[in-house]
């Protein structure tokens, strides 16, 4: 990871250290992570131009670091944003998913998110069975809770499976909070089903 010299360097790349979090405040296109020595640092989250802007509040005297990406890079997943993903792999303790959209914006770069067992639901976490919640190929809506690594959670009722298909290719329909059904065969499969917004 490279440290950025604010006086001579204006272009940064993902993972570049922009400064200590105690000295500069993280803005758009950045994230905060703790290094091996336990120091909180501000990093660039994308390739683009670095700018140090005026403090965002009178009580906080730190300059705000922002990275403005080139238009070709498109959207980037950030903490607290809602993303649409395709589940890639499921194991007993976690699942991985390719992030396709941030909000309503499609991604041009590849980002992979991790779904941990204890981030699937808010209650009875010890009873969560990953294979009964997700299958490879499912389309899910999730919230980003961490950027490095990208961790996804489904604690809100609107976050979970939005689209899944039966083996024959038929789109399944939700029949409960935990089940999806094939409209052709009538077969039922377990899933972590999202509450449909009206």
């Amino acid at each position: 990871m490279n440290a950025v010299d604010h006086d001579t360097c204006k272009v940064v790349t993902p993972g570049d250290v922009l400064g200590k979090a105690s000295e500069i405040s993280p803005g758009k296109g950045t994230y905060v992570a703790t290094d091996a020595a336990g120091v909180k640092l501000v990093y660039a989250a994308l390739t683009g131009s670095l700018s140090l802007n005026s403090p965002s509040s009178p009580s906080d005297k730190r300059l705000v670091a922002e990275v403005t990406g080139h238009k070709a890079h498109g959207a980037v997943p950030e903490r607290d944003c809602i993303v649409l993903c395709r589940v890639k792999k499921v194991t007993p303790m976690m699942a991985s998913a390719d992030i396709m959209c941030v909000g309503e914006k499609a991604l041009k770069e590849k980002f992979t998110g991790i779904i941990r067992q204890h981030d699937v639901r808010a209650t009875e976490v010890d009873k969560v069975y990953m294979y009964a919640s997700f299958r490879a190929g499912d389309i899910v809506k999730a919230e980003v809770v961490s950027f490095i690594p990208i961790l996804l959670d489904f604690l809100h009722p609107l976050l979970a499976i939005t689209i899944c298909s039966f083996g024959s290719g038929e789109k399944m329909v939700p029949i409960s909070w935990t089940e999806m059904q094939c409209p052709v065969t009538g077969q039922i499969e377990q899933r972590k089903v999202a509450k449909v917004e009206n």
Side-chain angles (χ1 to χ4, degrees):
M1 294 181 187
N2 302 318
V4 173
D5 181 345
H6 298 138
D7 295 326
T8 61
C9 183
K10 293 184 179 180
V11 176
V12 294
T13 57
D16 282 349
V17 177
L18 307 181
K20 294 181 179 179
S22 59
E23 298 172 356
I24 61 173
S25 177
K28 292 182 179 179
T30 71
Y31 64 94
V32 176
T34 304
D35 68 4
V39 179
K40 288 188 175 181
L41 300 174
V42 179
Y43 295 85
L46 63 156
T47 301
S49 300
L50 169 66
S51 62
L52 294 175
N53 305 313
S54 300
S56 55
S57 69
S59 60
D60 190 348
K61 303 299 182 184
R62 296 175 299 166
L63 293 175
V64 179
E66 291 190 356
V67 178
T68 304
H70 190 276
K71 289 183 179 179
H73 289 281
V76 174
E78 295 180 357
R79 186 183 173 93
D80 299 328
C81 69
I82 302 300
V83 295
L84 201 63
C85 320
R86 184 187 302 276
V87 176
K88 184 168 59 174
K89 183 179 179 182
V90 181
T91 69
M93 299 300 293
M94 59 184 283
S96 61
D98 290 332
I99 300 174
M100 303 183 298
C101 300
V102 174
E104 297 181 356
K105 296 181 179 178
L107 295 183
K108 295 184 179 180
E109 297 180 65
K110 183 178 179 180
F111 292 91
T112 299
I114 302 299
I115 306 162
R116 299 174 298 182
Q117 185 182 27
H118 61 269
D119 289 329
V120 173
R121 65 185 186 200
T123 59
E124 298 183 318
V125 176
D126 56 324
K127 295 181 180 179
V128 171
Y129 183 48
M130 294 299 288
Y131 293 111
S133 301
F134 310 100
R135 303 273 180 96
D138 287 349
I139 305 299
V140 300
K141 184 187 286 187
E143 180 180 4
V144 177
V145 294
S146 170
F147 185 74
I148 300 293
I150 300 178
L151 299 178
L152 309 172
D153 87 20
F154 299 86
L155 303 185
H156 191 281
L158 295 176
L159 304 176
I161 302 292
T162 57
I163 300 173
C164 67
S165 299
F166 188 60
S168 61
E170 294 291 333
K171 181 179 174 182
M172 301 183 79
V173 294
I175 57 173
S176 75
W177 290 99
T178 59
E179 295 174 319
M180 303 283 278
Q181 184 175 37
C182 175
V184 176
T185 65
Q187 185 160 338
I188 296 172
E189 291 184 356
Q190 289 186 307
R191 292 291 200 284
K192 201 297 190 172
V193 181
K195 179 180 178 182
V196 179
E197 296 180 272
N198 294 326

